[in-house]
């Protein structure tokens, strides 16, 4: 199956791509820009680095940079495969909880990562009732099979992003 992806890439200026967004680090925007970064590299003619200026503190912005990827086609195929899989059955990929899980796993190990992700999911449930509908009222982190699937999905999406990401 051939898949054609279309879109526009803004912020290309010479040998790099520079974008500005009024959001904090570690949000959906970074995942979107990461996918665009991969797409940009598949052309072979566009810049190989992306810099994203984000809201930091009240006095200072933060910059996220994405480095060149050795095989952007493979990374994109992996993400598209996950997307297609999610159309058959839901993936336990929970945005911010999955992001926090991967960041914490990389720095402190899986045990602490599951604890932090569960804590964040609990607070997200307070303002997003659709999570109870999708996950049920029970804590999904008590189910070892669900935890394994959660870790696999989070790693597939966020591990390459975090490996190529620098925060300044």
């Amino acid at each position: 199956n051939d898949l054609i992806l279309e879109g526009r890439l803004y912020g290309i200026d010479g040998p790099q791509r520079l974008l500005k967004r009024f959001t904090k680090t570690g949000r959906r925007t970074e995942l979107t820009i990461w996918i665009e970064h991969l797409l940009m590299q598949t052309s072979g003619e566009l810049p190989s680095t992306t810099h994203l200026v984000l809201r930091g503190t009240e006095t200072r912005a933060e910059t996220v940079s994405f480095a060149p990827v050795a095989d952007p086609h493979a990374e994109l195929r992996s993400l598209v495969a996950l997307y297609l899989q999610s159309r058959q059955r839901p993936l336990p990929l929970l945005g911010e909880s999955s992001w926090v899980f991967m960041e914490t796993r990389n720095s402190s190990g899986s045990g602490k990562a599951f604890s932090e992700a569960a804590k964040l999911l609990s607070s997200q449930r307070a303002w997003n009732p659709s999570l109870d509908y999708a996950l049920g009222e029970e804590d999904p982190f008590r189910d070892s099979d669900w935890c394994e699937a959660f870790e696999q999905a989070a790693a597939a999406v966020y591990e390459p992003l975090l490996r190529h990401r620098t925060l300044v």
Side-chain angles (χ1 to χ4, degrees):
N1 290 338
D2 287 341
L3 183 64
I4 297 173
L5 300 173
E6 292 183 9
R8 292 180 185 259
L9 296 174
Y10 297 99
I12 296 174
D13 185 25
Q16 64 185 3
R17 182 173 186 220
L18 178 63
L19 301 160
K20 297 170 276 206
R21 299 289 187 272
F22 190 72
T23 187
K24 293 184 179 182
T25 60
R27 304 289 170 109
R28 184 181 314 165
T29 297
E30 278 191 61
L31 179 58
T32 301
I33 300 304
W34 165 247
I35 293 167
E36 291 177 0
H37 176 72
L38 293 171
L39 288 167
M40 181 175 70
Q41 289 188 49
T42 62
S43 78
E45 298 175 13
L46 294 173
S48 60
T49 58
T50 297
H51 305 288
L52 176 61
V53 180
L54 298 169
R55 190 175 97 195
T57 65
E58 289 183 21
T59 58
R60 187 172 178 271
E62 290 186 311
T63 302
V64 171
S65 296
F66 292 116
V69 178
D71 190 354
H73 290 92
E75 296 295 345
L76 283 169
R77 277 192 295 276
S78 174
L79 289 172
V80 169
L82 278 173
Y83 168 74
L84 294 173
Q85 179 184 345
S86 74
R87 295 187 57 157
Q88 301 300 315
R89 64 182 173 83
L91 289 176
L93 191 64
L94 301 174
E96 289 182 53
S97 293
S98 296
W99 179 286
V100 164
F101 173 82
M102 286 307 299
E103 279 191 319
T104 307
R105 188 185 85 165
N106 289 346
S107 64
S108 304
S110 290
K112 176 118 174 104
F114 279 116
S115 173
E116 292 298 315
K119 209 180 324 178
L120 181 57
L121 178 60
S122 178
S123 71
Q124 287 176 306
R125 283 178 184 260
W127 55 265
N128 188 350
S130 65
L131 287 171
D132 284 339
Y133 178 76
L135 299 172
E137 292 183 19
E138 297 297 318
D139 180 2
F141 287 101
R142 292 186 176 169
D143 179 340
S144 62
D145 291 336
W146 189 91
C147 284
E148 183 179 333
F150 172 81
E151 183 170 15
Q152 288 173 356
V157 172
Y158 293 109
E159 196 166 49
L161 180 155
L162 292 171
R163 188 173 51 247
H164 292 89
R165 173 186 186 261
T166 304
L167 178 62
V168 181

